[in-house]
Amino acid sequence: MHQRQKHSTPGHRSDFAADGGALSMSHNDSRSFFNFSQLVLSAGQIKPSPALKHSKITYFEVEILDVQSKKQICIVDKVPPASTLLDVKHKFHKACPQWYPSRVGLQLERNGPFLKDSVSMQSLAVSSIITLYFTDLGQQVGWTTFFLTEYTGPLLIYLLFYIRLSTIYDQVESRKNFRHPVVHLACFCHCLHYIRHLLETLFVHKFSEGHTPLKNMIKGCAFYWGFTSWIAYYINHPRYTPPSFGHRQVSYATLAFLMCEAGNHFINVALAHQTNSGNKTCFPSPTYNPFTWLFLLVSCPNYTYEAGSWISFTVMTQTLPVGIFAFLMVIQMSLWAQKKHKLYLKRFYPEVRRKAAMIPIIF
């Protein structure tokens, strides 16, 4: 028994040593795993996610460069991410008072389009520093001022010729010659046309954001005011000759003129109140009003009615200046209609694809 105990003791010790060795090895492994875990946790993320990096940006810094020389004009700092481009323009105006916001044109690239005032700075940012290129757009005027000035001139100028000022016509000849009724009718129709334009500018039209250069308003006024002077001088002249077919020609032309004026007004109202389907704007559709049925044939019926007004006025008065003005207006409005028609095809393709731009079949 004693010998067995001696023999068993080393065996028991060897088993215990084996167990103790296993325990020591597992303890070392767990300790090394713990150290490795601590190292990973202390190192952090190797590449932080863009969202986390972007969330740390509290302000942007906007660098504004000259579009021609690429020289730095100024730096607008502390711009919140929720700010719009218009906010940056106001801060730029404080730094450079000679350039007010409507005169400032900003681009992401030198040859790129001008950014809209409503664009958020967060949508433009790639990093905390945003570089924009500045262009001086020159003196600007609002669209409402543009159209009010352009349409008020012809209204007043025509009335000056209608009352036959002594500085324009010979007074003796003016008193001697009898005025044909078409002269009074032409004055009424001409004034009605521009009064409608003025009222629609104030209460109907919804103008897009931004401004237009002052030189564009000067060119528009020169065109409308100049032609109005030429037209009014001939129609109100003491030696004016009435239309060849007399009362019938004047009556039919006046009726067509009034119908075109009414149609133009109802089309402008329909365009100003386009129906919305969810977030998508729908192309105006004809209603019970027969003047809106022209939407079935053309995409720009307001230009169709405008051209019809001036063609009718030409037939009514039978004067060369009105005919030339009507011809130029038809050409100009057909160009505008073609441009709008292309935009409509992109936005409302299924509804516009079978329509003409301004005049059915021709344009």
Side-chain angles (χ1 to χ4, degrees):
M1 290 179 64
H2 182 71
Q3 288 182 354
R4 286 181 182 177
Q5 289 177 355
K6 284 183 179 179
H7 287 290
S8 62
T9 301
H12 179 70
R13 287 179 180 177
S14 63
D15 293 338
F16 179 76
D19 294 337
L23 289 171
S24 63
M25 287 178 63
S26 62
H27 177 70
N28 291 334
D29 290 341
S30 62
R31 186 174 181 181
S32 61
F33 178 78
F34 175 77
N35 292 335
F36 178 75
S37 301
Q38 289 293 100
L39 178 64
V40 171
L41 290 174
S42 62
Q45 292 182 348
I46 298 175
K47 290 184 180 180
S49 61
L52 181 62
K53 184 179 179 181
H54 190 70
S55 64
K56 293 180 180 179
I57 299 176
T58 55
Y59 293 102
F60 291 119
E61 196 174 86
V62 181
E63 181 187 28
I64 299 179
L65 308 178
D66 184 76
V67 72
Q68 299 296 335
S69 62
K70 294 185 180 180
K71 292 182 179 179
Q72 186 185 94
I73 300 176
C74 76
I75 293 179
V76 181
D77 56 354
K78 294 185 178 179
V79 178
S83 298
T84 62
L85 194 71
L86 183 61
D87 299 327
V88 175
K89 287 184 178 182
H90 282 292
K91 291 186 176 183
F92 178 64
H93 174 56
K94 290 181 180 179
C96 304
Q98 67 270 30
W99 293 309
Y100 50 90
S102 62
R103 187 169 182 162
V104 176
L106 296 176
Q107 305 158 275
L108 270 178
E109 300 175 356
R110 294 181 67 190
N111 298 324
F114 291 110
L115 299 172
K116 293 183 178 181
D117 291 344
S118 58
V119 173
S120 66
M121 300 310 297
Q122 194 168 9
S123 64
L124 301 177
V126 179
S127 64
S128 60
I129 300 176
I130 304 172
T131 302
L132 298 176
Y133 293 94
F134 162 76
T135 301
D136 183 9
L137 300 177
Q139 282 190 301
Q140 304 285 303
V141 292
W143 284 110
T144 303
T145 304
F146 177 90
F147 287 114
L148 290 178
T149 306
E150 194 174 66
Y151 296 143
T152 303
L155 179 64
L156 300 178
I157 290 171
Y158 196 98
L159 291 175
L160 291 177
F161 282 92
Y162 177 73
I163 62 178
R164 290 183 176 178
L165 296 175
S166 58
T167 55
I168 302 175
Y169 302 112
D170 180 70
Q171 290 299 304
V172 177
E173 194 173 13
S174 298
R175 293 169 187 165
K176 186 193 307 182
N177 293 341
F178 171 74
R179 288 198 189 192
H180 194 275
V182 72
V183 175
H184 305 291
L185 187 60
C187 180
F188 169 78
C189 292
H190 191 275
C191 292
L192 177 67
H193 178 78
Y194 284 102
I195 289 173
R196 178 184 63 80
H197 272 305
L198 290 171
L199 293 176
E200 287 177 352
T201 299
L202 293 173
F203 304 110
V204 176
H205 293 303
K206 297 178 181 179
F207 298 108
S208 60
E209 63 176 21
H211 299 74
T212 185
L214 179 63
K215 61 181 181 180
N216 288 349
M217 189 180 76
I218 294 175
K219 288 191 292 186
C221 290
F223 177 77
Y224 279 96
W225 295 15
F227 262 104
T228 300
S229 302
W230 192 23
I231 290 169
Y233 176 79
Y234 273 88
I235 295 176
N236 296 288
H237 198 281
R239 297 183 182 179
Y240 168 73
T241 304
S244 303
F245 296 97
H247 179 72
R248 179 178 296 179
Q249 178 178 341
V250 173
S251 301
Y252 287 139
T254 303
L255 181 61
F257 177 87
L258 295 176
M259 289 180 64
C260 288
E261 286 295 302
N264 203 339
H265 171 70
F266 289 121
I267 292 297
N268 287 331
V269 171
L271 290 173
H273 298 87
Q274 293 183 6
T275 56
N276 295 329
S277 177
N279 295 326
K280 183 181 177 181
T281 304
C282 301
F283 188 78
S285 56
T287 63
Y288 62 88
N289 188 339
F291 290 103
T292 63
W293 295 350
L294 200 57
F295 274 121
L296 295 171
L297 302 176
V298 296
S299 60
C300 303
N302 52 327
Y303 293 143
T304 308
Y305 282 123
E306 183 78 9
S309 294
W310 286 111
I311 293 173
S312 303
F313 195 75
T314 303
V315 176
M316 181 202 310
T317 58
Q318 196 174 310
T319 53
L320 180 63
V322 182
I324 295 175
F325 181 73
F327 176 73
L328 294 176
M329 288 294 289
V330 169
I331 293 177
Q332 181 61 72
M333 284 184 291
S334 65
L335 296 175
W336 289 340
Q338 287 288 340
K339 187 176 180 180
K340 279 194 173 182
H341 188 70
K342 291 179 180 179
L343 294 176
Y344 287 154
L345 283 174
K346 293 179 180 178
R347 295 180 60 189
F348 316 107
Y349 175 72
E351 301 148 289
V352 183
R353 66 188 180 91
R354 293 184 180 275
K355 295 180 173 62
M358 180 177 131
I359 301 176
I361 302 173
I362 300 176
F363 296 112

